[in-house]
C-alpha cells in the first residue's frame, strides 16, 4: 500500500518552532536530550511542547549513549513515546527498549558501515546519518546515499538524514526512496532556531519530489 514519505524535523527547542512544524505538516518532531548538543532542551520544557502537539504528530526524544534507566526517566518526564538512539546502543538494548517505545536506531555511514548492519535491529526503525568524528547529527554533511539505499533491504522503516535541505532533498529521495526524511541544520538560522521559510520550502520540496512511496508504514 502506498504511503506518503514522512517528514521529521529534529532539534526543535521552542514552542513557536514546534507550532510551525505542525502547521506545515511535519509528521515527527525531535527533541534533543543530549546535554552536549547546542540544540539541547530540558525535558520539562519539552513536556510543555509535547503536550500541545496533535495526536498525529510523533514526538521523538534524541539520546546519545544514554543507559536505559536514564532514557526511561527522561522520556517519561518529556512525555515522548519514541526514542532515537545514537552512539553505541547495542541491538540488545534497542530491542529491550522497543518493548516500551518506538525506537529509532541512528547509524552513520562511517568507513566501517555496511548496509546489512541495520538488520541487527529488527524491532526498530533505522535512521541513516552522515558520519562526523566529533558530532552526533546536525552537521550539515550528507551521508552515503548509495549505502542508505541498500540498507532499505534490511529495515522495516528507514529515515534518511544528513545534510538535507530544500535544494537536495529531491535528489536524496530519488537516490534512496526512504520511508521518511529528517532535517535539522538545513532549515536553521542558528543551531536550535528554525527558519520557518526554509522549513516550508523543505516540506514543499519533499511533497513535490515524491508524493508516495510503496514502502510500508511503520509499526506504531
Amino acid at each position: 500500500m502506498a504511503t506518503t514519505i514522512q517528514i521529521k524535523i529534529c532539534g526543535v527547542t521552542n514552542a513557536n518552532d514546534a507550532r510551525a512544524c505542525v502547521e506545515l505538516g511535519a509528521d515527527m518532531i525531535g527533541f534533543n536530550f543530549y546535554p552536549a548538543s547546542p540544540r539541547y532542551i530540558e525535558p520539562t520544557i519539552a513536556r510543555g511542547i509535547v503536550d500541545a502537539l496533535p495526536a498525529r504528530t510523533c514526538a521523538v526524544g534524541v539520546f546519545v549513549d544514554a543507559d536505559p534507566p536514564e532514557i526511561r526517566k527522561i522520556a517519561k518526564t518529556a512525555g515522548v513515546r519514541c526514542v532515537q538512539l545514537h552512539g553505541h546502543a547495542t541491538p540488545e538494548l534497542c530491542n529491550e527498549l522497543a518493548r516500551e517505545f518506538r525506537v529509532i536506531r541512528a547509524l552513520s555511514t562511517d568507513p566501517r558501515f555496511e548496509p546489512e548492519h541495520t538488520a541487527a535491529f529488527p524491532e526498530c526503525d533505522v535512521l541513516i546519518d552522515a558520519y562526523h568524528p566529533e558530532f552526533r547529527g546536525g552537521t550539515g554533511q550528507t551521508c552515503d546515499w548509495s549505502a542508505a539505499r541498500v540498507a532499505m533491504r534490511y529495515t522495516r522503516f528507514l529515515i534518511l538524514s544528513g545534510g538535507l535541505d530544500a535544494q537536495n532533498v529531491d535528489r536524496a529521495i530519488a537516490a534512496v526512496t526512504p520511508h521518511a526524511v529528517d532535517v535539522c541544520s538545513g532549515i536553521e538560522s542558528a543551531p536550535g532556531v528554525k527558519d520557518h521559510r526554509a522549513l516550508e520550502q523543505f516540506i514543499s520540496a519533499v511533497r513535490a519530489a515524491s508524493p508516495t512511496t510503496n514502502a510500508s508504514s511503520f509499526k506504531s
Side-chain angles (χ1 to χ4, degrees):
M1 177 177 170
T3 56
T4 302
I5 288 180
Q6 295 192 20
I7 297 172
K8 177 174 175 286
I9 310 299
C10 207
V12 170
T13 61
N14 61 78
N16 187 43
D17 287 349
R19 190 177 306 112
C21 292
V22 169
E23 291 174 352
L24 291 167
D27 303 284
M28 294 175 272
I29 297 178
F31 301 93
N32 197 320
F33 299 131
Y34 179 47
S37 171
R39 300 173 182 87
Y40 173 76
I41 183 171
E42 290 283 350
T44 52
I45 296 175
R47 181 58 181 257
I49 300 172
V50 171
D51 284 348
L53 295 177
R56 64 177 173 79
T57 307
C58 178
V60 182
V62 179
F63 299 86
V64 178
D65 288 329
D67 58 31
E70 180 184 8
I71 292 169
R72 292 186 179 101
K73 179 181 179 181
I74 292 175
K76 182 178 180 180
T77 299
V80 300
R81 297 299 306 156
C82 178
V83 297
Q84 179 174 311
L85 308 181
H86 292 251
H88 300 96
T90 64
E92 292 75 19
L93 182 150
C94 292
N95 291 332
E96 172 192 340
L97 289 172
R99 292 194 284 267
E100 305 169 53
F101 302 95
R102 176 186 175 190
V103 176
I104 301 171
R105 178 60 168 106
L107 299 170
S108 65
T109 55
D110 62 35
R112 297 168 296 175
F113 177 78
E114 297 290 345
E116 55 267 29
H117 291 169
T118 59
F121 304 94
E123 302 302 317
C124 307
D125 302 334
V126 172
L127 181 144
I128 303 293
D129 201 356
Y131 170 71
H132 191 284
E134 298 177 31
F135 303 111
R136 305 291 188 179
T139 65
Q141 299 178 2
T142 55
C143 73
D144 183 338
W145 292 349
S146 60
R149 184 179 180 91
V150 177
M152 286 282 293
R153 303 174 190 169
Y154 304 97
T155 60
R156 68 179 191 182
F157 189 87
L158 187 139
I159 304 170
L160 181 66
S161 186
L164 298 180
D165 56 31
Q167 285 69 49
N168 67 9
V169 71
D170 57 342
R171 290 183 284 115
I173 289 172
V176 182
T177 64
H179 302 87
V181 291
D182 172 280
V183 67
C184 185
S185 61
I187 54 162
E188 290 183 330
S189 56
V193 181
K194 304 308 182 190
D195 179 323
H196 294 189
R197 178 60 178 158
L199 172 62
E200 181 179 11
Q201 291 172 338
F202 179 83
I203 291 177
S204 295
V206 174
R207 300 303 182 216
S210 184
T212 61
T213 176
N214 289 323
S216 59
S217 171
F218 67 85
K219 181 177 74 175
S220 60

